Amino acid sequence: MYIGTWAQQNPEKVAIAITGSDNQQTYKQLNDRSNQLSRLWWERGLRRGDHVAIFLDNDIRYMEIVWAALRSGLYVTPINWHLTAAEAAYILDDCEAKSIVTSSRIQQSVGLFGFPSKCEIWLSIDGGAGSYEDYDSAIGTYPAAPLPEQPAGAYMLYSSGTTGRPKGIKRPLPEQSIDQYGATFALSHKNLWGMDENSVYLSTAPLYHSAPIAFATATLVLGGSIILMQKFDALESLKNIDKYSVTHTQWVPTMFSRMLKLDLDRSQFDLSSHKVAVHAAAPCPRKVKEQMLDWWGDIIYEYYGGSEGNGLTHVTPQEWRKKPGTVGRAVMGKLHVCDEDGKELPCGEPGLIYFEMPKLPFKYHNDTEKTKKAQHPQHANWSALGDVGYVDEDGFLFLTDRATFMIISGGVNIYPQEIEDALVMHPKVADVAVIGVPNEEMGEEVKAIVKLAPGISPSPELEEELLKYARENIARFKCPKSVDFTDELPRLPTGKLYKRLLKDKYWGKTASRIV
């Protein structure tokens, strides 16, 4: 099934509704408008395998743009609108997008007008100006009938590497047409969490993230309804579950923490419709999950996997209660835990986690070296996401660490190298290390540890100067929340920064992560 099927069977059913407004879209409207955009792209020369980009916040038109690509054999790349102009421009150029759909607000906030790009078709959802055409006017000249041929497209999401430069995760395009392949987008959601045409999915997070866009796509494949929040709010999330009789939700642990901290009478919300709450993206503190299970009951499911689609583990609430802390057993791919040389380790011994698939299901766009590094040294069809953990005697995976010092703050991946590269350019900085330090709400927050240039003395004013400098050069969500000063950073003779010593200071030796 796909949206064209549901547009025929139940055209007036609400496909998407924006919370706090009367703004909604039926399946007929979603199907028609995605057809119009697909025809525009076709008439302008886009063909199977070409790329398009979406640079929007949560808008009623977001999914019609996605489906225009998915029914045209195109790769579609959602771009995080919190990025700076330079960061967004890098992704737009790297994915070689031939068209982008954005808004004037985002253009103004990141200075998007006029930066160099191979992009030829610039569309703005709230009025054309300069190189931009008005989106509604542009697609309005095309018929709502589907293209004669509708090859299935795919997402190409971007996931940063340890160097901080994001890389596109590229999978082969399906060989089938969208009506033949469409249901594949929802296999896990149907089989693991029982989503179907009666599902009402509350989308609490930005659609540019991999999990929210996957859940939204699956909901529409299965004929359900999306209740789309424009931004997360803990109290409003609970109100929306009640108001819209939501059946399915997807979260990151920080959202749980914020809901638990609300000072309110929980009985005021009717959550009886809520059947499944899924969380992933970051480790969930055991106490937080226990409190959520006590509140919501045994409806909280967890999975571990990446945008690479190279494997998946899953755990039910009942299984988690028996094995607290686990992220489940493999439901896609076969798990292997290996040492640094690639030798497989016995049960209970932590090492680098690999998933075995019949063949490698992805590659990193324009980066064969990064693709190779993700593969096992002897088995090209085994790949790793960079996490460390162990498997118990029953096959349940437990995450214990990360192979790199990636920071996960509120479910968002932040890579220190990019921040270090920016701060070290400040004239008063001689050397810098960026690490994640404990934060009760966000899990981790970003801290910069700075060795100052000769003759420069630390001060609160200098800390603020460095924080401001960071905000001017990288996206705000990546910026350090604080700066500590030190006389020397622990570097090995080779120049490698020995971050374990820094982590021990803030986490304690038992919580330190592998260098």
Side-chain angles (χ1 to χ4, degrees):
M1 307 287 267
Y2 79 115
I3 61 168
T5 308
W6 298 111
Q8 291 179 344
Q9 294 186 8
N10 201 352
E12 299 309 313
K13 180 176 181 177
V14 173
I16 307 168
I18 302 289
T19 61
S21 73
D22 297 324
N23 198 2
Q24 61 185 35
Q25 190 176 60
T26 66
Y27 268 95
K28 183 179 187 307
Q29 291 169 329
L30 171 62
N31 189 56
D32 287 352
R33 289 173 64 84
S34 69
N35 277 329
Q36 289 178 299
L37 179 55
S38 68
R39 283 186 171 272
L40 180 152
W41 280 334
W42 174 267
E43 291 295 329
R44 303 284 185 91
L46 272 66
R47 296 294 183 266
R48 183 176 184 270
D50 285 337
H51 292 245
V52 295
I54 308 175
F55 199 19
L56 291 172
D57 44 18
N58 286 4
D59 186 270
I60 194 72
R61 285 158 285 204
Y62 206 106
M63 294 309 297
E64 71 188 45
I65 301 163
V66 165
W67 275 102
L70 295 181
R71 70 193 311 163
S72 304
L74 303 176
Y75 283 104
V76 56
T77 293
I79 301 178
N80 180 343
W81 58 267
H82 290 96
L83 297 176
T84 65
E87 292 166 331
Y90 167 77
I91 292 176
L92 189 63
D93 285 342
D94 186 69
C95 76
E96 300 174 352
K98 292 189 175 182
S99 179
I100 184 171
V101 184
T102 185
S103 69
S104 60
R105 184 191 71 78
I106 291 177
Q107 294 165 29
Q108 293 166 7
S109 66
V110 301
L112 192 59
F113 271 104
F115 64 67
S117 171
K118 298 175 184 177
C119 191
E120 300 171 357
I121 307 168
W122 301 72
L123 301 170
S124 176
I125 64 170
D126 50 7
S131 302
Y132 291 85
E133 300 174 64
D134 177 68
Y135 173 82
D136 289 325
S137 298
I139 70 169
T141 62
Y142 292 90
L147 290 167
E149 294 183 3
Q150 296 190 94
Y155 288 104
M156 191 171 86
L157 303 173
Y158 271 71
S159 177
S160 293
T162 55
T163 62
R165 274 293 196 185
K167 292 299 176 185
I169 300 166
K170 191 173 185 179
R171 304 177 195 170
L173 285 173
E175 295 297 329
Q176 302 99 319
S177 62
I178 190 63
D179 56 333
Q180 296 169 326
Y181 184 79
T184 306
F185 289 110
L187 284 178
S188 295
H189 301 77
K190 181 178 182 179
N191 295 336
L192 295 177
W193 306 305
M195 294 183 74
D196 58 23
E197 66 269 24
N198 298 310
S199 297
V200 180
Y201 165 61
L202 178 66
S203 183
T204 58
L207 289 173
Y208 58 71
H209 280 310
S210 58
I213 198 70
F215 270 82
T217 304
T219 300
L220 297 175
V221 165
L222 296 168
S225 297
I226 300 170
I227 308 302
L228 184 61
M229 297 179 67
Q230 293 181 302
K231 63 178 181 178
F232 171 74
D233 179 273
L235 180 58
E236 290 301 314
S237 297
L238 295 168
K239 290 180 179 178
N240 288 328
I241 294 173
D242 183 343
K243 178 180 178 179
Y244 295 98
S245 297
V246 166
T247 62
H248 290 73
T249 56
Q250 185 269 327
W251 314 85
V252 297
T254 299
M255 296 175 177
F256 286 162
S257 297
R258 291 182 181 178
M259 286 188 287
L260 287 168
K261 292 177 182 178
L262 292 172
D263 184 14
L264 48 76
D265 176 10
R266 295 177 179 176
S267 65
Q268 68 182 283
F269 305 109
D270 180 1
L271 306 182
S272 59
S273 64
H274 197 192
K275 298 177 182 178
V276 174
V278 183
H279 76 93
C284 186
R286 179 173 172 175
K287 290 184 178 179
V288 169
K289 187 159 181 177
E290 288 172 343
Q291 290 178 49
M292 289 302 301
L293 285 167
D294 291 342
W295 180 6
W296 285 358
D298 284 356
I299 68 167
I300 301 176
Y301 297 73
E302 183 176 359
Y303 69 88
Y304 163 71
S307 303
E308 287 81 353
N310 64 330
L312 190 75
T313 68
H314 180 256
V315 59
T316 67
Q318 295 82 6
E319 290 171 329
W320 192 90
R321 284 190 184 276
K322 293 178 182 178
K323 293 180 179 285
T326 184
V327 293
R329 288 184 284 196
V331 294
M332 182 174 73
K334 181 180 178 182
L335 281 170
H336 300 276
V337 178
C338 301
D339 64 16
E340 293 180 355
D341 298 321
K343 180 182 177 182
E344 198 151 4
L345 298 169
C347 288
E349 191 168 337
L352 189 62
I353 300 161
Y354 288 91
F355 282 105
E356 176 187 350
M357 296 284 280
K359 62 180 181 179
L360 190 70
F362 73 96
K363 65 179 181 179
Y364 292 110
H365 185 57
N366 292 334
D367 198 332
T368 55
E369 184 61 27
K370 182 176 173 64
T371 303
K372 185 177 179 180
K373 286 181 178 179
Q375 296 171 283
H376 187 274
Q378 287 84 44
H379 303 283
N381 60 325
W382 298 14
S383 57
L385 299 173
D387 293 298
V388 173
Y390 66 90
V391 176
D392 73 6
E393 66 280 0
D394 298 316
F396 285 87
L397 176 65
F398 293 78
L399 301 178
T400 57
D401 215 325
R402 300 192 71 85
T404 65
F405 281 98
M406 182 179 74
I407 300 163
I408 304 178
S409 182
V412 177
N413 295 347
I414 300 171
Y415 291 86
Q417 184 67 54
E418 182 181 12
I419 308 166
E420 291 165 353
D421 289 349
L423 283 174
V424 79
M425 297 304 294
H426 192 284
K428 297 179 183 178
V429 174
D431 199 2
V432 60
V434 172
I435 62 172
V437 297
N439 179 288
E440 184 176 353
E441 181 182 21
M442 305 298 285
E444 292 181 284
E445 70 178 51
V446 181
K447 177 180 284 290
I449 304 170
V450 170
K451 175 186 176 182
L452 293 172
I456 305 298
S457 300
S459 68
E461 292 77 16
L462 180 54
E463 178 183 16
E464 183 53 38
E465 180 181 337
L466 295 177
L467 294 175
K468 181 181 178 182
Y469 180 82
R471 292 192 292 268
E472 291 172 348
N473 287 275
I474 53 177
R476 293 182 72 92
F477 71 89
K478 302 176 186 177
C479 291
K481 303 298 181 185
S482 59
V483 177
D484 284 358
F485 297 99
T486 184
D487 293 332
E488 201 67 46
L489 288 172
R491 289 194 180 273
L492 301 176
T494 59
K496 181 180 178 181
L497 187 62
Y498 196 39
K499 283 191 175 179
R500 171 173 292 199
L501 297 179
L502 297 175
K503 296 285 287 187
D504 286 346
K505 177 181 177 181
Y506 297 94
W507 291 86
K509 291 186 178 181
T510 59
S512 126
R513 299 187 173 202
I514 294 174
V515 174

